[in-house]
Amino acid sequence: MAHGATDEVADLVAKLGAVARVVTEAPDGPLGRAFSVRGVPALCLVDPAGTVVASGSEMAGLPTPADVSRT
């Protein structure tokens, strides 16, 4: 998740968009509130069933999934 105006987060979205689905919204957006985002970028690892299995603000802090294919 990237909070901010589209032009402010464009570089981050471009970098992460190559390997993940990226959501951009205003700092007070509903998704950030729903997940209690405290900082950006906010990263979540979601399993095939749609359950958030890990979260953090750095890629290095998330487990490496066995299958990173995008559907």
Side-chain angles (χ1 to χ4, degrees):
M1 175 181 298
H3 278 174
T6 302
D7 59 332
E8 294 173 344
V9 296
D11 288 341
L12 178 62
V13 171
K15 290 176 184 174
L16 292 176
V19 296
R21 291 187 183 136
V22 180
V23 176
T24 304
E25 71 173 11
D28 61 346
L31 191 59
R33 286 193 311 270
F35 285 99
S36 300
V37 172
R38 294 185 197 104
V40 292
L43 309 169
C44 295
L45 180 60
V46 181
D47 71 12
T51 302
V52 175
V53 294
S55 64
S57 61
E58 296 183 24
M59 295 288 286
L62 299 178
T64 303
D67 179 6
V68 294
S69 62
R70 293 174 64 179
T71 59

